[in-house]
Amino acid sequence: MTDTPSHDALPLFPLELVLFPGSYLPLRIFEVRYLDMVNQCGKSGAPFGVVTLTRGSEVRTAASDPAGGAGTHQEVFHPVGTLARITQLSRPQPGLIMINCIGAQRFEVTRPALLKHGLWVGLAEVLPDDQRVPIPEDLLPVARALARVLDTLKAQGVTPEQMPIQPPYALHDCAWVANRWCDLLPMALAQKQRLMTLDNPLLRLELVSDLLERNGIAT
């Protein structure tokens, strides 16, 4: 179930990554347009939307500032993204906010608009959550391999805060296991985006299994 079916003016954060539901995302915020957004989201508990850049860069320079007339054309992003909810926020110094986020529901944004101070917003329709599908027996090795990765990281002394995968764990769920492998595996952003937008979690896990085999990762 989703919290809300839509967001009228969802603040958007175009990044050079694909955020999956359940993904852990630490961010270092220093641009004014995002400092204001994060402050508001932190106070209200509202999410912002992470969308994947297809053109442009995460950090806007003077040359790409919308005041100079070029900003609107330099940032292009996929319409399907994932809501990010802030789980931790700190202000180590003026003009800098450190946040930890967790990926929530996927959404599709329509009518994106660039505000005067450079923040993108858009009408966003929340997409249905992945169905909870138990992992079939032939794909259980994919889940076991992920469990071994987690055990190895813990054995190497990686602290809970530094773990790239955060609890709660769902090692028997197709979507969760597939999404966590997508967080870890090296692949092109376009490929990650296609996997994230798939409606069938079992198919997503099957494709991830193929990727593991091609990458020589034993399952």
Side-chain angles (χ1 to χ4, degrees):
M1 298 293 291
T2 57
D3 292 336
T4 53
S6 64
H7 295 264
D8 291 335
L10 180 70
L12 301 174
F13 203 147
L15 291 171
E16 294 171 357
L17 57 82
V18 178
L19 182 67
F20 284 76
S23 294
Y24 171 62
L25 178 65
L27 290 172
R28 183 174 180 268
I29 311 297
F30 54 88
E31 288 190 82
V32 173
R33 55 178 173 159
Y34 296 134
L35 288 170
D36 293 341
M37 177 195 76
V38 165
N39 274 319
Q40 292 179 16
C41 290
K43 289 177 182 176
S44 67
F48 58 90
V50 173
V51 287
T52 303
L53 280 165
T54 58
R55 191 174 73 207
S57 62
E58 295 180 349
V59 178
R60 182 168 292 157
T61 63
S64 64
D65 191 278
T72 311
H73 305 291
Q74 291 210 358
E75 291 173 343
V76 181
F77 46 82
H78 284 285
V80 177
T82 300
L83 297 177
R85 295 193 177 276
I86 298 172
T87 58
Q88 188 173 358
L89 184 151
S90 63
R91 297 179 176 86
Q93 64 187 57
L96 177 65
I97 299 178
M98 308 292 288
I99 58 173
N100 293 337
C101 306
I102 194 77
Q105 297 98 338
R106 296 172 300 167
F107 64 87
E108 184 169 8
V109 65
T110 58
R111 298 203 298 270
L114 186 63
L115 304 182
K116 285 184 178 179
H117 62 294
L119 180 69
W120 285 96
V121 298
L123 174 65
E125 179 183 355
V126 176
L127 301 176
D129 290 335
D130 280 321
Q131 292 183 346
R132 292 189 177 275
V133 178
I135 297 176
E137 187 173 353
D138 63 316
L139 290 174
L140 284 176
V142 179
R144 295 190 192 109
L146 182 61
R148 289 197 299 271
V149 170
L150 294 172
D151 290 341
T152 299
L153 291 172
K154 293 174 185 176
Q156 291 173 346
V158 178
T159 65
E161 296 77 16
Q162 295 172 326
M163 289 286 284
I165 297 174
Q166 293 288 305
Y169 300 151
L171 286 162
H172 298 287
D173 180 69
C174 282
W176 191 89
V177 172
N179 292 351
R180 300 296 73 78
W181 272 119
C182 288
D183 291 336
L184 297 173
L185 285 171
M187 68 178 90
L189 288 182
Q191 188 174 20
K192 283 195 177 189
Q193 182 73 23
R194 285 193 296 272
L195 288 167
M196 187 268 285
T197 56
L198 278 177
D199 291 329
N200 186 331
L202 177 57
L203 176 58
R204 194 184 308 150
L205 186 61
E206 289 172 343
L207 293 172
V208 165
S209 178
D210 292 341
L211 284 169
L212 289 172
E213 185 176 349
R214 288 203 294 270
N215 280 273
I217 297 174
T219 57

